[in-house]
Amino acid sequence: MAMENGTALPNTTPKRRKSKWSVALEQKYLFFMSVPFVIWIIIFNYIPVWGWTMAFQKFRPGLSFREQTWVGFDNFVALFSEPHFYLVLRNTLAMSIMSLVVGYTVPVLFAILLNELRHMAFKRTMQTISYLPHFVSWVVVAGLITKMLSTDGGIVNQLLIAIHAIDKPIQFMAHGEWFWGIVTMSDLWKEMGWNSIIYLAAISGIDPELYDAAKVDGAGRFKRIWHITLPGIRPTIMVMMILSIGWLTSIGFEKQFLLGNSIVQDYSEVLDLYVLNYGIKMGRFSFGTAVGIVNSIVSIMLLLISNRVFKRWTNESVI
């Protein structure tokens, strides 16, 4: 510590920064723990990317890689030249956006409502009941939904007739314009409780003293939710929103395949079903791979764009 005019000056010498190798040596056990997961990701996520070469070939099973015929971007040209592809893309984006809006907001509200319950036994019971549908197969869920909406003893039609809302049963599964809503509500019922877990965990991390101070200041329950709970889980909400946007075009095919039928095919067919029907079943493996590449590129672009937008507006990002 230097002296100037009899006054002690603080030591302003900057601390020496540790090298990356020193930090890695200190955290060697963490690196060793992550090795199996890194290997798993490389094997199942990066090595299969080699299969994308099929999109640029006229792939024929049984032939070696060198014996395949290269066709360049012909499969992509054929894909974007098919009008049916844009119909499938419309269905995929429409159901994805509906699922994002409903399946994103309702779990947040459900988590907040559960957090406000004070009777612990009732709270645990509600949590358990809401989680259970997540572990039920989509085969079972589709059977339940189909039976509930059936014209032959379906509870929905019976209830509507009982309250004199309709005169005769409605064939819900035969109306294509209703299919998106049916899929969205089915997915919400199945996944709402499970998706709310992460928000409940974020709420539990909020300092309870903030709520006590708000009570002392006279804040009611809704004001505490608005000014403490929601700002406290805002980073979690933003991160989940960004990740959800990145998966807009990758919504799977189970629920559409099981709930759909030939009558509503123009509304039920999504990209994964398009690959199955017009790629794998018809032996057009290269065409199916091209659809998968387009799907992946669109997902990556949506993720990067949403991450950049949210980082600029809310200072929250995943990258």
Side-chain angles (χ1 to χ4, degrees):
M1 183 177 296
M3 300 290 293
E4 183 177 345
N5 297 329
T7 304
L9 297 178
N11 188 3
T12 58
T13 305
K15 294 182 179 180
R16 187 175 181 181
R17 191 173 183 179
K18 293 183 179 180
S19 65
K20 294 181 180 180
W21 290 108
S22 299
V23 176
L25 186 62
E26 291 178 358
Q27 302 179 359
K28 57 182 179 295
Y29 295 111
L30 295 177
F31 283 105
F32 289 147
M33 291 173 61
S34 65
V35 167
F37 302 99
V38 173
I39 294 175
W40 184 88
I41 291 174
I42 292 174
I43 293 176
F44 293 100
N45 292 85
Y46 285 94
I47 293 180
V49 174
W50 172 257
W52 281 12
T53 55
M54 291 170 55
F56 306 96
Q57 302 171 342
K58 187 178 180 180
F59 182 79
R60 288 178 292 175
L63 298 181
S64 65
F65 180 78
R66 294 182 179 180
E67 295 175 328
Q68 301 294 341
T69 303
W70 293 85
V71 296
F73 291 93
D74 289 356
N75 290 309
F76 294 93
V77 173
L79 173 63
F80 290 109
S81 300
E82 288 194 10
H84 191 64
F85 168 72
Y86 298 97
L87 177 66
V88 172
L89 184 62
R90 180 206 66 176
N91 297 337
T92 304
L93 292 177
M95 280 184 274
S96 297
I97 293 173
M98 291 175 65
S99 178
L100 175 64
V101 174
V102 177
Y104 172 76
T105 56
V106 175
V108 174
L109 296 176
F110 182 69
I112 293 174
L113 292 176
L114 279 181
N115 183 66
E116 293 298 317
L117 294 176
R118 294 295 174 259
H119 197 283
M120 295 305 298
F122 180 70
K123 181 178 180 179
R124 294 193 183 99
T125 303
M126 291 299 297
Q127 284 181 295
T128 303
I129 293 174
S130 65
Y131 298 163
L132 287 178
H134 171 77
F135 301 99
V136 179
S137 169
W138 263 112
V139 177
V140 178
V141 173
L144 290 173
I145 298 299
T146 303
K147 182 60 179 176
M148 290 173 62
L149 299 177
S150 173
T151 58
D152 184 17
I155 188 173
V156 175
N157 276 306
Q158 288 185 350
L159 180 61
L160 292 176
I161 293 175
I163 62 176
H164 303 289
I166 58 176
D167 297 327
K168 58 181 181 179
I170 300 175
Q171 295 182 348
F172 290 97
M173 306 305 294
H175 291 269
E177 60 274 14
W178 294 353
F179 184 80
W180 297 347
I182 293 172
V183 169
T184 302
M185 292 298 104
S186 302
D187 191 45
L188 175 65
W189 172 79
K190 188 175 186 298
E191 303 295 342
M192 178 188 67
W194 184 259
N195 291 337
S196 66
I197 293 177
I198 190 170
Y199 302 113
L200 286 169
I203 292 173
S204 65
I206 300 175
D207 190 354
E209 293 183 359
L210 294 175
Y211 293 100
D212 296 336
K215 287 182 181 179
V216 172
D217 291 338
R221 176 169 295 182
F222 292 102
K223 285 189 176 181
R224 294 197 299 270
I225 293 174
W226 185 260
H227 295 287
I228 298 176
T229 305
L230 286 176
I233 63 175
R234 175 183 169 183
T236 303
I237 293 175
M238 293 298 104
V239 170
M240 295 303 297
M241 172 65 86
I242 295 171
L243 295 177
S244 298
I245 293 175
W247 288 97
L248 271 182
T249 58
S250 302
I251 60 174
F253 71 95
E254 295 92 348
K255 43 186 176 289
Q256 290 83 7
F257 179 75
L258 294 169
L259 290 172
N261 53 66
S262 58
I263 300 176
V264 298
Q265 185 174 1
D266 289 342
Y267 292 88
S268 65
E269 193 170 19
V270 292
L271 283 175
D272 289 340
L273 278 177
Y274 184 69
V275 172
L276 178 64
N277 295 329
Y278 295 92
I280 298 176
K281 286 185 176 181
M282 298 177 64
R284 303 168 67 191
F285 301 106
S286 297
F287 183 80
T289 306
V291 178
I293 292 176
V294 172
N295 192 2
S296 299
I297 292 175
V298 172
S299 298
I300 293 173
M301 290 177 60
L302 288 173
L303 176 63
L304 295 177
I305 293 172
S306 61
N307 182 78
R308 185 175 183 84
V309 170
F310 279 94
K311 187 175 183 179
R312 176 172 297 182
W313 286 357
T314 64
N315 203 29
E316 301 290 344
S317 65
V318 296
I319 302 176

